């Protein structure tokens, strides 16, 4: 495939980075931004505004919002797996209170939560 | 768009064809490259994933490496997974894992082949995160009381493989015989 086809290079260049390069660390409490965003995003609606805990840092990847608009040379963003308690995501959740939902969320969607639960 | 379509909608087939033909016409890629990719995808089957699972059951050091860096450990077995970023999650007596992609149909195709239709259905995608215990029960999976259910939504760049628990009574089986027992659904967490 010719190198002029940028879509092929985006995922291949993603590399794991040391945790120091990321804003949040494993175990940090984070809140998902709750803004209305047009176009393609990879942050599910059901976790917008919810608080979770960083389960791991996945590496650095280009932002899906930019990729979907044809911008393939944007900055790479840290990607996290954020763990939410199901009872916090769904107020009427039926199941064990320890049940969790892990979701991959990019750093620019996350804000710090000062008081850890 | 993808939130409302079901897979019997032929407009997406036409869209794919139009898009592909345009890319070929513009010389971005060739039909041969598309065919090669499609053939690669169809050559992958859950037997590959089952081989990885059985190895982890037989080799605890391999299992540790698999849980730490799924892609690197799978490559150790000579399996080419391309750019796959694999996260392996282990079922234990305390934790049962279930994988879903609520946004589309992300799936470790290089290791399990094409996802089953139910995995791509709107019902599964919506309900797996909302009421995983009810979904699991419909698959005949009823974790013991007190088990934590962890649902993993493949929303971005990672792909997930569940490492099921080794069934009781398989102590005398060979690694290959154990691999034959591992089902696709079990590696999604739904079997």
């Amino acid at each position: 495939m010719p190198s002029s086809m940028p879509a092929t290079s985006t995922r291949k260049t993603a590399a794991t980075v040391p945790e120091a390069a990321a804003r949040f660390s494993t175990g940090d409490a984070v809140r998902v931004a709750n803004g209305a965003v047009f176009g393609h995003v990879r942050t599910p609606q059901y976790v917008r505004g919810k608080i979770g805990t960083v389960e791991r840092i996945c590496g650095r990847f280009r932002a899906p919002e930019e990729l979907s608009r044809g911008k393939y040379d944007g900055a790479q963003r840290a990607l996290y797996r954020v763990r939410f308690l199901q009872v916090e995501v769904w107020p009427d959740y039926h199941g064990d209170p320890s049940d969790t939902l892990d979701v991959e969320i990019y750093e620019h969607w996350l804000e710090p939560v000062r008081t850890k639960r | 768009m993808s939130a409302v379509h079901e897979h019997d909608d032929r407009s997406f087939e036409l869209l794919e064809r139009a898009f592909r033909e345009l890319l070929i016409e513009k010389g971005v890629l060739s039909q041969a490259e598309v065919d090669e990719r499609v053939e690669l995808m169809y050559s992958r089957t859950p037997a590959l994933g089952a081989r990885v699972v059985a190895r982890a059951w037989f080799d605890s050091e391999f299992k540790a490496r698999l849980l730490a860096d799924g892609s690197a450990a799978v490559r150790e077995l000579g399996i080419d997974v391309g750019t796959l970023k694999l996260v392996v999650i282990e079922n234990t007596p305390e934790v049962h894992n279930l994988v879903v992609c609520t946004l589309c149909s992300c799936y470790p195709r290089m290791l399990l082949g094409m996802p089953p239709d139910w995995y791509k259905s709107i019902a599964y995608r919506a309900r797996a995160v909302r009421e995983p215990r009810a979904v699991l029960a419909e698959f005949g999976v009823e974790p013991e009381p007190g088990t934590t259910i962890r649902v993993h939504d493949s929303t971005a760049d990672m792909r997930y493989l569940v490492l099921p628990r080794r069934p009781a009574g398989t102590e005398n089986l060979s690694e290959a015989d154990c691999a034959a027992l591992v089902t696709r659904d079990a590696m999604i967490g739904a079997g």
Side-chain angles (χ1 to χ4, degrees):
Chain A
M1 208 172 281
S3 58
S4 60
M5 177 63 182
T8 57
S9 65
T10 53
R11 290 195 175 209
K12 284 178 185 169
T13 53
T16 305
V17 291
E19 298 206 358
R23 181 181 179 196
F24 302 109
S25 306
T26 301
D28 281 359
V30 288
R31 182 185 285 107
V32 183
N34 201 9
V37 179
F38 289 106
H40 178 77
V41 298
R42 300 293 305 179
T43 305
Q45 193 71 44
Y46 67 79
V47 290
R48 307 260 179 98
K50 304 290 183 186
I51 293 174
T53 305
V54 173
E55 189 266 344
R56 76 177 73 177
I57 302 169
C58 301
R60 294 181 80 82
F61 300 88
R62 294 200 166 83
E65 296 87 348
E66 292 183 353
L67 292 173
S68 70
R69 293 195 299 266
K71 181 173 169 57
Y72 301 105
D73 56 355
Q76 295 202 340
R77 324 281 186 115
L79 178 69
Y80 302 88
R81 268 165 52 78
V82 180
R83 178 163 292 170
F84 302 88
L85 285 174
Q86 288 277 28
V87 289
E88 299 214 355
V89 177
W90 316 106
D92 60 345
Y93 182 74
H94 298 290
D96 198 277
S98 68
D99 287 0
T100 61
L101 185 47
D102 289 9
V103 184
E104 294 161 47
I105 304 178
Y106 298 90
E107 190 167 88
H108 57 284
W109 277 90
L110 297 174
E111 54 194 52
V113 175
R114 281 170 197 271
T115 34
K116 289 195 180 178
R117 290 166 300 152
Chain B
M1 174 165 75
S2 63
V4 290
H5 86 87
E6 274 293 1
H7 293 272
D8 54 0
D9 183 346
R10 293 212 40 179
S11 61
F12 286 88
E13 199 179 315
L14 293 172
L15 184 66
E16 180 277 325
R17 186 168 158 183
F19 192 62
R20 169 164 44 90
E21 286 177 355
L22 266 175
L23 289 172
I24 291 167
E25 204 174 296
K26 286 178 174 291
V28 177
L29 43 77
S30 68
Q31 184 63 49
E33 284 170 319
V34 174
D35 291 346
E36 192 186 335
R37 191 76 194 164
V38 170
E39 269 174 41
L40 172 69
M41 282 297 128
Y42 277 103
S43 74
R44 301 288 164 140
T45 74
L48 272 178
R51 207 178 119 205
V52 174
V53 167
R55 172 53 59 93
W57 286 345
F58 276 74
D59 181 343
S60 60
E61 288 180 10
F62 174 77
K63 184 176 101 175
R65 294 196 297 278
L66 185 68
L67 296 174
D69 184 340
S71 299
V74 166
R75 286 190 189 105
E76 276 180 40
L77 302 184
I79 301 172
D80 172 15
V81 289
T83 57
L84 173 72
K85 307 279 287 183
L86 184 69
V87 173
V88 179
I89 43 203
E90 183 186 19
N91 283 350
T92 67
E94 293 79 33
V95 176
H96 183 90
N97 296 282
L98 180 68
V99 179
V100 63
C101 173
T102 58
L103 299 179
C104 45
S105 56
C106 296
Y107 188 76
R109 292 166 195 239
M110 294 293 275
L111 211 50
L112 298 184
M114 304 299 268
D117 283 346
W118 58 258
Y119 184 85
K120 299 184 280 186
S121 72
I122 287 175
Y124 178 74
R125 287 158 48 199
R127 294 182 59 217
V129 289
R130 188 77 178 79
E131 45 176 9
R133 286 172 185 268
V135 171
L136 285 172
E138 288 169 28
F139 277 100
V141 180
E142 305 213 31
E144 288 160 29
T147 306
T148 295
I149 306 293
R150 287 201 201 296
V151 177
H152 304 266
D153 190 355
S154 318
T155 49
D157 298 83
M158 303 294 120
R159 298 292 177 267
Y160 296 88
L161 180 80
V162 173
L163 176 57
R165 291 162 68 188
R166 183 170 174 173
T170 59
E171 294 76 15
N172 297 322
L173 294 185
S174 69
E175 190 174 320
D177 286 345
C178 278
L181 300 175
V182 181
T183 66
R184 176 197 65 198
D185 291 0
M187 292 184 279
I188 305 174

